[in-house]
Amino acid sequence: MGYRLHYATKYDVEYDGGFFNWCYEESCQLLRNLGVLANNESEEIFEIGKEEYKAKIDAVRAEYLSHWDQPHPLIPGHTYGEVLNILEEIYNNSTANYIHLEWF
């Protein structure tokens, strides 16, 4: 069974998604690069304010729009566009005022 990144859609612990299977270290680095900080030492739980998260992914989208179909250097098997679409899906499906990401 894979070890995938999940996000909480509500604080009463309702998970959805399941992204970046087998890319734990790479995905954690991607989140750190975006400024999403782990709220524990093991880096299995990440949280960021929802609007701050949206501003960060919008900035990345604008910067890498010309690389849309090129392979993403951190996430094997995904293009920049696919990674950004996943990050936007997390934003669009989260109903809390923050983004909660957890590995399990």
Side-chain angles (χ1 to χ4, degrees):
M1 171 153 30
Y3 192 57
R4 298 169 56 167
L5 181 64
H6 296 267
Y7 61 92
T9 58
K10 299 191 314 188
Y11 188 66
D12 62 352
V13 190
E14 181 180 311
Y15 290 97
D16 201 353
F19 303 107
F20 306 128
N21 196 22
W22 306 111
C23 296
Y24 172 75
E25 291 294 329
E26 297 88 344
S27 299
C28 288
Q29 184 62 47
L30 173 70
L31 293 172
R32 284 191 297 272
N33 290 353
L34 282 173
V36 181
L37 301 177
N39 68 1
N40 61 355
E41 289 182 21
S42 68
E43 292 196 338
E44 292 185 358
I45 300 172
F46 292 83
E47 289 185 347
I48 186 171
K50 191 170 182 178
E51 295 311 313
E52 181 183 358
Y53 176 86
K54 178 68 169 151
K56 289 177 183 289
I57 61 174
D58 285 349
V60 169
R61 175 179 288 285
E63 183 176 349
Y64 292 103
L65 190 57
S66 63
H67 296 79
W68 193 255
D69 294 325
Q70 295 178 6
H72 195 282
L74 281 177
I75 310 298
H78 293 331
T79 65
Y80 279 94
E82 290 168 339
V83 170
L84 284 167
N85 285 339
I86 288 169
L87 296 174
E88 286 185 337
E89 181 179 333
I90 291 169
Y91 173 82
N92 291 333
N93 290 328
S94 295
T95 59
N97 59 357
Y98 60 92
I99 304 292
H100 177 94
L101 302 164
E102 186 167 345
W103 286 93
F104 57 87

